[in-house]
Amino acid sequence: MCGIWALFGSDDCLSVQCLSAMKIAHRGPDAFRFENVSGYTNCCFGFHRLAVVDPLFGMQPIRVRKYPYLWLCYNGEIYNHRKMQQDFGFEYQTNVDGEIILHLYDKGGIEQTVSMLDGVFAFILLDTANKKVFLGRDTYGVRPLFKTMTEDGFLAVCSEAKGFELETVKNNIRILFNNAVKKRLMTDRRIGCLLSGGLDSSLVAATLLKQLKEAQVQYPLQTFAIGMEDSPDLLAARKVANHIGSEHHEVLFNSEEGIQALDEVIFSLETYDITTVRASVGMYLISKYIRKNTDSVVIFSGEGSDELTQGYIYFHKAPSPEKAEEESERLLRELYLFDVLRADRTTAAHGLELRVPFLDHRFSSYYLSLPPELRIPKNGIEKHLLRETFEDSNLIPKEILWRPKEAFSDGITSVKNSWFKILQEYVEHQVDDAMMANAAQKFPFNTPKTKEGYYYRQIFERHYPGRAYWLNHYWMPKWINATDPSARTLTHYKSAAKA
């Protein structure tokens, strides 16, 4: 066992890099080496050694006279290295089994090399002649290897996730998020921003306003919040707007207006998914207000963050970081069926164009490249890494930065009389038990299990008869025995609400 670590394309000073590498010192208590790559000031290796073989020449990165352009940092055991050395007649310079990787690479390239290795291993191979970096790991990760990278050339590799300098990761997240907002300023029409007072929309609004000032845009940023009187979202959005100095608009609606909008909303959405319909009413009504009362046309929003940064409350129940990662990627693949569909249809219905920085290709690619352990909820708080990243920025108020996730669409009302509860009470009088008993015969595909689902399906079928297959499954949380998509049915949400 050893600890291997490397940075490529880093602008941090040597002291910061060295501190980062020391976080995995426990993996190699016998010796440590930190070495910059000759001629490449922003590339370096760190190695913590547990001396099992060749105590004299076993330090790393391994370099041999025959291949001065190759640098190898390696952890593991290659059980067939002696046999291959004899079969090919390789002349070893050390007694380290990992040296075989250098010889095999020079002989047949990286793909042939890894196909011939029998053992457990993780390695970082730098070829300065061809300016390439290769990472290798055994099939099951018996010897671990983590990486994080950006499209502009930064790459960090380590035996354990803790070896990444969090400050480096957080700095990259801030830079990429700023860039994601900045590139979306491209328009000749006025820009506005939806602001629910939650973490995601608040970060977008604050960053957007800063970028507009830097671009010397002459008009003030208009932000828009919607809710029923004294809703948590309205109060939180007001705090953010005051903090960043936007021209803030508050849109009030009552339960009757929300229910009356359901038919128009489902027609615009082209879906009958329960949580999508619920969450769309507020967005539909606020888009209607923006079009009628302002000249803002290009509208920024925080969509995509929950899927990307594991913001849904059920992520607290994920059995492992790897399972959470799989679920995050699945949600992103299905965005077109749910949140992106909602955001596009409700704004487009009123002639507005939506822009979503959290779904920027470079930002999302980097975030997904981070080790799964960094992205999971921490200390009972979802999106912990994202919150921590902006902790010292004063971009938004601290109480908003650490505001817990609200249940779907419920922030627009109140805990005592939620939108969820209002809808349940309404559909109870619209769908009777006899209709539910016949639901499977009437709707054999995606049969609604609740009266709310039945009511939405009726409206959908009236507008789009025989098109139920447009939705292949309902949105539902995982890892819990849920019968409804609302977070209000989850234990974690209930306990957080009481607190």
Side-chain angles (χ1 to χ4, degrees):
M1 181 188 74
C2 295
I4 60 176
W5 176 96
L7 281 185
F8 304 94
S10 171
D11 294 325
D12 283 337
C13 65
L14 283 176
S15 59
V16 172
Q17 294 172 344
C18 199
L19 276 174
S20 185
M22 292 306 293
K23 291 180 180 178
I24 59 165
H26 54 277
R27 295 188 68 89
D30 294 338
F32 169 67
R33 175 182 284 174
F34 183 84
E35 187 170 350
N36 271 94
V37 177
S38 306
Y40 296 86
T41 55
N42 60 354
C43 300
C44 53
F45 287 91
F47 179 65
H48 294 276
R49 188 180 187 204
L50 179 65
V52 177
V53 296
D54 197 352
L56 183 59
F57 296 106
M59 276 303 287
Q60 299 188 31
I62 300 173
R63 303 186 67 205
V64 296
R65 287 185 296 272
K66 190 174 182 181
Y67 316 117
Y69 52 90
L70 296 182
W71 299 63
L72 176 69
C73 235
Y74 156 82
N75 173 32
E77 300 82 39
I78 307 298
Y79 304 124
N80 62 340
H81 79 104
R82 286 295 182 198
K83 184 178 187 307
M84 287 192 292
Q85 180 193 12
Q86 294 166 5
D87 290 347
F88 293 113
F90 295 144
E91 293 183 10
Y92 269 29
Q93 185 175 312
T94 72
N95 290 320
V96 178
D97 53 331
E99 185 181 333
I100 192 69
I101 295 172
L102 298 175
H103 295 281
L104 289 172
Y105 173 75
D106 179 73
K107 177 179 173 59
I110 194 65
E111 291 187 12
Q112 186 181 96
T113 298
V114 294
S115 70
M116 299 181 74
L117 299 179
D118 180 6
V120 291
F121 56 86
F123 67 80
I124 308 161
L125 177 62
L126 171 64
D127 180 345
T128 59
N130 294 295
K131 296 185 178 180
K132 290 186 177 181
V133 178
F134 299 98
L135 309 181
R137 195 203 71 179
D138 64 75
T139 306
Y140 301 109
V142 176
R143 294 293 178 260
L145 195 68
F146 295 90
K147 70 175 174 67
T148 180
M149 62 189 300
T150 66
E151 290 190 355
D152 57 0
F154 172 81
L155 171 66
V157 191
C158 191
S159 295
E160 297 182 13
K162 64 175 66 69
F164 297 131
E165 177 54 44
L166 277 171
E167 289 307 314
T168 297
V169 169
K170 289 187 281 189
N171 187 52
N172 288 333
I173 292 173
R174 285 190 293 268
I175 290 171
L176 289 167
F177 186 68
N178 266 291
N179 291 343
V181 173
K182 188 175 183 178
K183 73 174 67 168
R184 285 167 173 77
L185 299 183
M186 184 178 67
T187 180
D188 294 324
R189 304 297 295 272
R190 184 167 184 168
I191 292 173
C193 188
L194 300 182
L195 178 59
S196 70
L199 172 68
D200 309 322
S201 65
S202 299
L203 287 176
V204 170
T207 305
L208 175 59
L209 190 142
K210 189 176 83 169
Q211 294 285 359
L212 288 173
K213 284 183 178 178
E214 290 178 6
Q216 298 183 330
V217 172
Q218 296 304 305
Y219 58 78
L221 173 66
Q222 294 179 329
T223 52
F224 305 95
I226 188 167
M228 296 182 182
E229 195 170 358
D230 293 328
S231 77
D233 276 6
L234 285 181
L235 296 174
R238 201 177 300 157
K239 287 180 183 176
V240 176
N242 290 336
H243 183 85
I244 67 176
S246 64
E247 179 191 301
H248 192 54
H249 297 241
E250 291 185 357
V251 180
L252 291 173
F253 78 103
N254 57 40
S255 57
E256 290 77 17
E257 290 171 317
I259 288 168
Q260 287 171 9
L262 285 172
D263 188 272
E264 294 176 18
V265 167
I266 292 172
F267 173 75
S268 297
L269 290 177
E270 303 176 331
T271 188
Y272 50 92
D273 177 66
I274 295 170
T275 192
T276 303
V277 174
R278 281 181 196 161
S280 293
V281 170
M283 202 164 182
Y284 181 86
L285 292 175
I286 200 169
S287 297
K288 187 176 184 179
Y289 169 90
I290 294 170
R291 178 41 111 185
K292 185 178 180 181
N293 297 280
T294 79
D295 59 346
S296 288
V297 175
V298 175
I299 307 298
F300 279 64
S301 185
E303 262 67 40
S305 177
D306 284 325
E307 291 79 7
L308 177 66
T309 66
Q310 303 182 14
Y312 293 122
I313 293 169
Y314 70 86
F315 273 97
H316 290 277
K317 299 292 186 181
S320 71
E322 291 73 24
K323 290 296 182 184
E325 178 180 46
E326 289 176 12
E327 175 65 359
S328 178
E329 292 175 357
R330 182 189 71 84
L331 289 172
L332 286 167
R333 288 194 302 271
E334 295 184 351
L335 269 173
Y336 75 100
L337 288 171
F338 304 111
D339 273 27
V340 163
L341 179 147
R342 165 180 55 79
D344 172 76
R345 302 300 197 280
T346 55
T347 52
H350 300 288
L352 305 177
E353 178 176 296
L354 195 76
R355 296 192 177 174
V356 285
F358 277 106
L359 293 177
D360 178 77
H361 175 63
R362 291 194 171 189
F363 177 78
S364 60
S365 294
Y366 176 72
Y367 206 94
L368 290 173
S369 79
L370 297 173
E373 290 82 1
L374 292 182
R375 291 181 271 147
I376 58 174
K378 184 179 177 183
N379 302 328
I381 300 173
E382 62 282 344
K383 303 183 190 175
H384 196 279
L385 175 60
L386 183 64
R387 298 175 196 272
E388 202 175 37
T389 294
F390 292 94
E391 172 75 47
D392 300 319
S393 67
N394 196 37
L395 203 60
I396 60 176
K398 284 287 177 69
E399 65 266 32
I400 302 299
L401 184 66
W402 295 98
R403 183 188 178 198
K405 170 74 176 171
E406 283 283 352
F408 290 121
S409 69
D410 284 346
I412 61 174
T413 48
S414 68
V415 175
K416 291 181 180 178
N417 192 27
S418 71
W419 181 227
F420 171 75
K421 183 180 177 184
I422 290 168
L423 287 168
Q424 306 315 304
E425 290 174 351
Y426 175 74
V427 299
E428 184 66 32
H429 300 290
Q430 307 302 314
V431 180
D432 59 33
D433 293 342
M435 294 164 76
M436 287 303 299
N438 192 48
Q441 285 72 40
K442 186 174 178 63
F443 305 119
F445 178 78
N446 270 349
T447 303
K449 306 296 183 185
T450 65
K451 290 184 177 181
E452 184 185 7
Y454 191 103
Y455 182 71
Y456 297 161
R457 183 66 172 273
Q458 278 188 316
I459 297 174
F460 176 87
E461 292 289 346
R462 189 164 66 247
H463 291 298
Y464 305 107
R467 299 294 188 271
Y469 61 86
W470 286 353
L471 176 71
N472 53 34
H473 65 279
Y474 291 102
W475 194 102
M476 288 292 283
K478 289 192 72 171
W479 306 308
I480 52 172
N481 187 23
T483 56
D484 187 277
S486 175
R488 289 190 174 273
T489 64
L490 307 185
T491 304
H492 184 91
Y493 183 82
K494 290 175 180 176
S495 61
K498 290 177 183 176

